[in-house]
Amino acid sequence: MSHPLFDIGGQTALVTGSSRGIGLALARGLAEAGCTVVLNGRDAGRLERAAAELPGERVHTAAFDVTDGPSVAAGIADVEERVGPLDILVNNAGVQLRAPLLEFADADWHRLLDTNLTSAFLVGREAARRMTERGHGKIVNICSLQSEVVRPGIAPYAATKGALKMLTKGMCADWGPYGVQVNGLGPGYIETELTRPLVEDEEFSAWVRRRTPAGRWGRTEDLVGGVLFLVSPAADFVSGQVLYVDGGMTSVL
Ligand code: NAP
């Protein structure tokens, strides 16, 4: 029998960027834990196909671009009207663009900031306006191992994820007094579409396995337990923290 501290049955959760990869795995975990789940992404067709794969009747979709303020405001209002008040928000949508910093294009810098950082501000603020009024809510921002450490070629990505860590702490400061807990989850190297070029690079892949105490790449399912904890009553006094789920990589040289 599971402990009541981990009971999140009947809650409503929105996971941004959940048509595939980590977001879809987290949405599946929340659905399996008894939540009503709303999938988000920009492609309505892809979202419908992803929703069809999830268990239970209580799976909804909401296609909107998390980088666009008016679309986010309309999207959150629509979700609350159609599905119900949000108890849980997972800010997961993100992109990676790799290039040496000397050659990094302006447009790519702005796209990274918009998708990985501004989105969490826009969606977080819109959801928190409602959550703070109701006096409760749980927000998890998907940070990264690169909120702490970086490699050549990904400085802009690491800058977004480092900033997202500090936005998490700032949200905790502003919204904690209104009963909203905000935390981060920092995945290590996880096999998804975003990391496919790295997984397919034999040398890089071997480096990841050597460098990770757990000795392997992470799987999207590895991240579910951490999120279920952070959105559960067990974490009611946990706020402003980043939980790294990286097979130990950030802890060792
Ligand atoms: P992914 O497989 O590329 O999936 C990204 C998701 O975000 C897709 O569902 C995509 O759907 C959606 N998305 C992208 N831009 C969007 C926008 N403007 N509005 C709405 N949705 C948008 O990526 P992933 O590997 O699962 O990564 C998910 C998160 O984990 C990201 O924040 C990433 O930085 C973080 N992370 C990943 C790793 C890793 O090793 N994979 C490690 C650390 C952190 P559409 O394209 O259809 O919109």
Side-chain angles (χ1 to χ4, degrees):
M1 198 183 102
S2 70
H3 199 287
L5 277 172
F6 294 94
D7 182 6
I8 55 167
Q11 311 249 343
T12 299
L14 167 66
V15 183
T16 68
S18 46
S19 60
R20 61 173 187 260
I22 291 172
L24 182 56
L26 298 181
R28 178 188 297 279
L30 288 162
E32 285 168 354
C35 291
T36 296
V37 172
V38 185
L39 301 184
N40 157 266
R42 288 164 300 180
D43 183 328
R46 196 184 285 165
L47 281 177
E48 287 306 327
R49 289 191 293 280
E53 285 175 27
L54 293 195
E57 313 278 280
R58 299 180 307 267
V59 180
H60 303 259
T61 64
F64 60 88
D65 185 337
V66 293
T67 67
D68 179 64
S71 305
V72 168
I76 298 290
D78 166 63
V79 165
E80 289 228 336
E81 200 182 300
R82 221 165 17 99
V83 183
L86 286 174
D87 304 292
I88 296 166
L89 165 66
V90 182
N91 277 316
N92 164 81
V95 285
Q96 172 64 294
L97 301 169
R98 302 177 184 88
L101 195 52
L102 288 175
E103 288 147 36
F104 214 87
D106 291 14
D108 288 350
W109 168 268
H110 290 297
R111 189 171 154 222
L112 270 175
L113 276 161
D114 285 350
T115 313
N116 296 3
L117 181 61
T118 305
S119 65
F121 160 67
L122 292 173
V123 183
R125 183 186 59 180
E126 208 54 41
R129 281 180 172 152
R130 295 165 163 80
M131 288 173 170
T132 52
E133 196 145 288
R134 294 190 287 262
H136 71 92
K138 304 270 191 189
I139 299 178
V140 179
N141 294 326
I142 303 302
C143 297
S144 171
L145 156 77
Q146 274 109 24
S147 299
E148 298 296 337
V149 291
V150 66
R151 283 175 49 78
I154 55 166
Y157 177 86
T160 67
K161 292 296 183 177
L164 186 58
K165 176 180 74 174
M166 288 314 296
L167 181 63
T168 301
K169 295 185 186 199
M171 287 175 166
C172 154
D174 270 52
W175 302 335
Y178 301 96
V180 177
Q181 287 87 50
V182 188
N183 290 286
L185 185 99
Y189 281 97
I190 311 291
E191 287 195 58
T192 67
E193 227 161 273
L194 183 141
T195 52
R196 181 163 301 151
L198 306 181
V199 175
E200 286 170 358
D201 177 337
E202 288 284 317
E203 203 181 313
F204 190 90
S205 229
W207 174 81
V208 166
R209 286 192 293 273
R210 273 199 314 277
R211 182 65 185 71
T212 306
R216 63 169 174 85
W217 277 79
R219 297 183 273 269
T220 55
E221 310 86 82
D222 288 320
L223 305 171
V224 173
V227 165
L228 294 185
F229 163 65
L230 290 173
V231 302
S232 73
D236 276 353
F237 201 56
V238 179
S239 209
Q241 300 298 311
V242 180
L243 174 61
Y244 291 98
V245 181
D246 63 354
M249 203 188 223
T250 42
S251 296
V252 301
L253 276 174

